[in-house]
């Protein structure tokens, strides 16, 4: 009877061990599946345009609550318009080299706010770039008119042409180009954007059909909550093709020794 009881107890123990093992295995499988789902979902979200718009929105929310000199921020104002004021205040604090905790906190706060404002500004400049090259490729005079500033002095330098100053002359030049030339797609590459207060400097390489390349410089100014072009300058890049190797010329005769000069 003792051996029977021991055998029965061993069987029970084995069954309990198997149940516990199966439960732990199921928990591990569920945990692994959950991690994989979270990773893939997170990758899809962070790579989506909606995520980037929300990221810009978070920066905007921080900037809207940002205060200057303790006066409180205005949520309806343009955060990019605050850049010159923030940069000037930060420069003043850096010159003071103060070790005061309040000044340190203010410097960190200003640096974060400037970074957020420049992120928002760069997002807007890239959008203005897209509008410009879409209007260029479509040959749309009305869309091109919306790209250029209506408040600032404007200038345009087309490849191989003299500088055009004034909005009327610039827009007339675009109308002539679109009316006399066939449409072709221009794609900007190697884009570099530098935000300087209310001005954005954008350099890029304009790629044309057939492998042509044009060095371009676009300048935008903050105007009415948007970025408007004030300068477009384009110059073609000359690509020199290597020619066939030239044969060496005849050997040159050695130069005769020069006679010594007489003493003065």
């Amino acid at each position: 009877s003792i051996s029977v009881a021991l055998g029965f107890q061993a069987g029970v123990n084995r069954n309990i061990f198997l149940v516990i093992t199966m439960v732990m295995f199921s928990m591990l499988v569920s945990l692994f599946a959950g991690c994989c789902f979270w990773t893939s979902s997170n990758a899809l979200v962070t790579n989506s345009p909606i995520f980037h718009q929300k990221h810009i929105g978070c920066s905007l929310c921080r900037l809207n609550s940002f205060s200057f000199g303790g006066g409180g921020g205005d949520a309806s104002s343009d955060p990019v318009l605050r850049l010159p004021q923030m940069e000037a205040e930060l420069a003043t604090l850096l010159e003071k080299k103060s070790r005061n905790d309040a000044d340190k906190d203010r410097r960190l706060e200003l640096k974060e706010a400037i970074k957020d404002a420049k992120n928002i500004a760069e997002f807007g400049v890239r959008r203005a770039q897209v509008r410009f090259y879409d209007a260029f490729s479509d040959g749309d005079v009305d869309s091109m008119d919306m790209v250029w500033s209506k408040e600032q002095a404007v200038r345009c330098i087309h490849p191989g042409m003299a500088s055009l100053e004034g909005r009327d002359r610039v827009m007339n030049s675009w109308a002539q180009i679109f009316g006399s030339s066939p449409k072709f797609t221009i794609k900007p590459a190697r884009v570099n954007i530098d935000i300087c207060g209310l001005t954005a400097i954008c350099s890029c390489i304009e790629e044309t059909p057939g492998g042509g390349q044009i060095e371009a410089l676009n300048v935008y100014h903050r105007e009415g909550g948007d970025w408007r072009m004030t300068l477009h300058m384009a110059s073609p890049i000359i690509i020199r093709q290597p020619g066939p190797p030239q044969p060496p010329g005849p050997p040159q005769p050695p130069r005769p020794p020069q006679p010594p000069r007489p003493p003065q």
Side-chain angles (χ1 to χ4, degrees):
S1 60
I2 294 176
S3 60
V4 172
L6 291 176
F8 176 76
Q9 184 65 32
V12 170
N13 291 338
R14 282 197 302 272
N15 292 334
I16 294 174
F17 176 76
L18 290 175
V19 170
I20 294 175
T21 302
M22 293 178 63
V23 170
M24 292 181 65
F25 180 75
S26 300
M27 292 176 63
L28 289 175
V29 170
S30 300
L31 180 62
F32 178 75
C35 291
C36 293
F37 175 78
W38 181 88
T39 303
S40 59
S41 301
N42 187 53
L44 290 173
V45 170
T46 54
N47 289 329
S48 65
I50 297 176
F51 174 82
H52 291 288
Q53 292 178 2
K54 289 183 177 180
H55 177 70
I56 296 294
C58 292
S59 298
L60 183 59
C61 291
R62 289 197 299 267
L63 284 170
N64 285 334
S65 61
F66 190 80
S67 63
F68 297 89
D74 183 8
S76 63
S77 63
D78 185 353
V80 181
L81 295 179
R82 308 175 191 172
L83 266 174
Q85 184 178 357
M86 289 189 292
E87 291 174 339
E89 184 180 352
L90 179 60
T92 302
L93 291 175
L94 292 175
E95 288 179 359
K96 288 173 58 177
K97 298 180 180 180
S98 173
R99 297 185 179 179
N100 189 316
D101 290 340
D103 289 341
K104 290 182 179 179
D105 294 340
R106 186 61 176 175
R107 286 197 296 267
L108 293 175
E109 188 179 10
L110 283 167
K111 289 180 179 179
E112 187 68 22
I114 290 172
K115 179 182 177 182
D116 289 339
K118 287 191 174 183
N119 286 338
I120 296 173
E122 183 175 344
F123 181 81
V125 172
R126 292 186 182 276
R127 185 172 55 186
Q129 280 273 98
V130 170
R131 289 200 301 262
F132 172 68
Y133 286 106
D134 283 350
F136 199 159
S137 300
D138 296 338
D140 191 337
V141 178
D142 294 333
S143 298
M144 182 62 74
D145 183 80
M146 295 297 296
V147 170
W148 286 83
S149 172
K150 298 181 180 180
E151 299 178 1
Q152 303 292 323
V154 299
R155 175 180 294 184
C156 183
I157 305 174
H158 297 293
M161 299 178 61
S163 173
L164 299 174
E165 297 185 16
R167 200 174 194 282
D168 292 339
R169 296 184 64 190
V170 170
M171 294 313 304
N172 287 337
S173 71
W174 287 113
Q176 293 176 5
I177 291 174
F178 294 159
S180 60
S181 303
K183 297 180 181 179
F184 58 93
T185 302
I186 293 184
K187 297 181 180 180
R190 291 160 53 187
V191 178
N192 183 48
I193 296 175
D194 189 14
I195 309 296
C196 305
L198 305 183
T199 301
I201 303 173
C202 182
S203 61
C204 66
I205 301 295
E206 297 176 348
E207 297 180 345
T208 61
Q213 291 184 339
I214 299 176
E215 188 86 27
L217 179 67
N218 299 323
V219 178
Y220 298 89
H221 186 80
R222 191 69 171 174
E223 181 178 309
D226 206 345
W227 293 94
R228 304 293 181 183
M229 181 174 285
T230 59
L231 171 67
H232 171 68
M233 183 169 59
S235 176
I237 300 175
I238 300 177
I239 302 177
R240 296 182 178 179
Q241 300 294 339
Q246 299 295 329
Q252 299 294 329
R255 297 179 61 183
Q258 298 293 331
R261 293 184 178 182
Q264 298 293 336

